[in-house]
């Protein structure tokens, strides 16, 4: 995917109005540590050097945005819980199913 696509997606995102949320909230965040940890090994292996460079740049942007989103959630959500998932991608319920299910159960059982 060309680098400009990620920029266009980011421009279209809105920040949630956390100050209006009164209920407890649970947020899962993927930690974009490396392409090898979050991408399909077969797809990563298929990339040439340009593709890998562009992918690393996009993941770097995603990691920075995710870090800011976590910080904002933690600061604004008085009843918020954050679960960070290593070696996960955007589809955390697939890549880290056990952690997601466990985190949800723990969060819901406490209520």
């Amino acid at each position: 995917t060309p680098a400009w696509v990620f920029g266009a997606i980011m421009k279209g995102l809105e920040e949630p109005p956390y100050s209006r949320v009164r209920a407890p909230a649970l947020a899962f965040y993927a930690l974009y540590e490396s392409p090898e940890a979050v991408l399909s090994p077969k797809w990563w292996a298929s990339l040439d050097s340009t593709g890998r460079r562009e992918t690393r740049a996009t993941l770097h942007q995603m990691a920075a945005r995710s870090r800011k989103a976590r910080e904002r959630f933690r600061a604004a959500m008085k009843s918020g819980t954050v679960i960070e998932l290593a070696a996960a991608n955007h589809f955390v319920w697939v890549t880290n199913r056990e952690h997601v299910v466990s985190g949800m159960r723990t969060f819901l059982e406490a209520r």
Side-chain angles (χ1 to χ4, degrees):
T1 303
W4 65 267
V5 172
F6 181 75
I9 291 170
M10 294 300 103
K11 285 180 185 176
L13 294 179
E14 297 179 12
E15 293 188 357
Y18 291 137
S19 63
R20 297 186 354 216
V21 177
R22 302 288 180 246
L26 174 63
F28 291 95
Y29 288 96
L31 302 178
Y32 300 102
E33 298 158 326
S34 72
E36 297 85 357
V38 301
L39 301 172
S40 158
K42 185 177 179 181
W43 183 80
W44 177 250
S46 74
L47 295 175
D48 62 14
S49 60
T50 301
R52 287 185 179 202
R53 186 175 56 253
E54 290 173 353
T55 299
R56 285 186 192 281
T58 298
L59 285 174
H60 181 72
Q61 291 176 325
M62 291 171 66
R65 176 157 175 66
S66 181
R67 193 170 33 259
K68 288 177 186 174
R70 287 192 311 274
E71 292 167 2
R72 185 170 178 271
F73 184 90
R74 282 190 175 112
M77 293 298 298
K78 294 179 181 16
S79 296
T81 300
V82 170
I83 297 178
E84 297 173 332
L85 300 169
N89 64 29
H90 182 74
F91 304 102
V92 296
W93 60 93
V94 174
T95 58
N96 297 64
R97 183 182 185 283
E98 295 81 20
H99 290 105
V100 170
V101 170
S102 174
M104 289 174 69
R105 286 192 172 137
T106 300
F107 177 80
L108 294 170
E109 288 170 358
R111 270 109 196 115

